[in-house]
Amino acid sequence: MKQHLRNFGRCCAVFLLCIVLFTGAMAAAFAIPNSAVESNQRQAMAVIESEGQYPRYFFDTPACQLDNFTDGLMLDRAINPDESRGPLVSAMDIEGYSRYWHGYQVLLRPALTFLNYKQIRYLNMMVFFILLAGAFALMQRKMGTRPAVGFLVSVAACYAVIIPLSMQFMSVFVLMLLGCIWVLWRHGKTTPSEAVLFFMVLGMVTNFLDLLTAPLLTLGMPLAVYLYLEIASNSENGWFTGFKRLFFPSLAWGLGYGGCWVCKWAVGSIVLRRNVFAEAVSQIFFRVSGSEEYPLDRMEALSKNFEMMFVNPGKRLLLLLGILLGLWLLLALLFRKSWKQLLNGTVLLLLALYPYAWILVMANHCQIHYWFTYRIQAAALFGIVCWLDLSVDAGKIRGLFQKKN
C-alpha cells in the first residue's frame, strides 16, 4: 500500500511539474517579439496561399492531402496581435482559441526566427525519417524482423510520405516514434510503475502539442511495443498480468491527456479572467453529440475512417495485406507456440480495438475530419501484427519444410 501511495504521489508531482513547465514554455515562446518572426511567417503564409488549403501531391485521395488550412491557422497564431498584454496572457489566449494549449508554438515561434516554411518542412522530413529508421532498427533488434516490418507497414499505411509536409501532422508522429524508441531502449530496465508514469507524461505532451489530429497513436503504438516485449520476455505470466500491463498505462495516458487539457482551461481562466471552461465544454458537446449542421452518425464515422485506411484508391495493396494477415492467423492456429501464449497475446487484440472505441466516442470529430483521423488505425494494424507474431512458432514451420526436404 505504501508503495502504491508513493507511486501515486510521484505521478501527481510530475503532473504538476509538467503543467508548470508547459505554462512557462508557452510564456517564453511568446516573449519572442513579433519582429523576429514576421518575415518568415509572411513567406510561409504566401506558400500556403499558393498551394491551397488541401493540396494533393502524390495520390488522388483525401487520405494523402496536406492540411495547409490548419498549418495556416498555426502560423497565423504565431503572430501576437497585442504584445502589450504580456507573453503569458498572449500564450493563454491565442486570439480566443484558448481551449488548446497550442504547445507547437514553443517550437514554431523560435523556428520562424531563422527558418522559412520550406526549410521547416525539410527539417521535419529529416527528423521524421531519422526517427522512423531508428525505431525500425531498434525494433528489429529487440522484437525481430516480422514485427519491425509490420510496424513499418502500419506507419506507411498512413501515407507517411506527406507527414513532414504538414506541421499539423508532425507532433503525434514524432511523439509516437520517440515513445516506441524509449520503450525499446528501456526494456528490461523499467518497472511497471515507471511505465505508467511514462505513459502519463506521453499523454500530457501529446495534449500540449497536438490539435486533435490522431493523438491515440502516441498511446497505441508504444503500448503495443511494450506489451509485445513484456509477453515475449515473461511467457510464464498469465493473461491477467498482461491485462494489467494494458490497463494501467492506458489509464495513465488517458488521465494525462485529459487532465492536461482540463488544466489548460483552469490556467487560461485564471490568467485571462474569463470562463475558458464554458468555451471548452461547448466544443466537447459538439464533438461528442454533433449539431444541426453536422448531424451525428457513428456508423458513418467508422465506415469513413475504415475506408480511408484500407479501401481508398491508394490502399489496394492493403487488400493483399489483409489476405496475408488471414493466412498468418491460420498459421497461428496451426503452428501456435502454445494455447497460453495465444491467449496471453490477446491483450494486443484489445489494444487493436482502441481506435474504433475512440472513433465511436469522438464520432463527430472523426466524421468531419476522417481524412486525417483515420491514421489512428495504424495502432490496430500493428497490434494485430504483434499478436500474430507472438502466437506463431516459426521453428515448427521451418521444421515442417525441413522434414519434407
Side-chain angles (χ1 to χ4, degrees), residues 40-56:
N40 282 324
Q41 192 265 1
R42 282 196 299 268
Q43 290 181 28
M45 296 298 280
V47 171
I48 286 176
E49 186 176 351
S50 67
E51 290 181 344
Q53 291 187 343
Y54 303 110
R56 299 177 188 177

Side-chain angles (χ1 to χ4, degrees), residues 18-38:
C18 285
I19 297 301
V20 172
L21 289 175
F22 293 167
T23 305
M26 286 295 292
F30 277 87
I32 299 171
N34 283 341
S35 58
V37 304
E38 279 175 334

Side-chain angles (χ1 to χ4, degrees), residues 240-257:
F240 187 65
T241 299
F243 178 76
K244 288 193 293 184
R245 297 288 189 271
L246 169 72
F247 176 77
F248 288 110
S250 300
L251 179 64
W253 185 94
L255 291 174
Y257 185 86

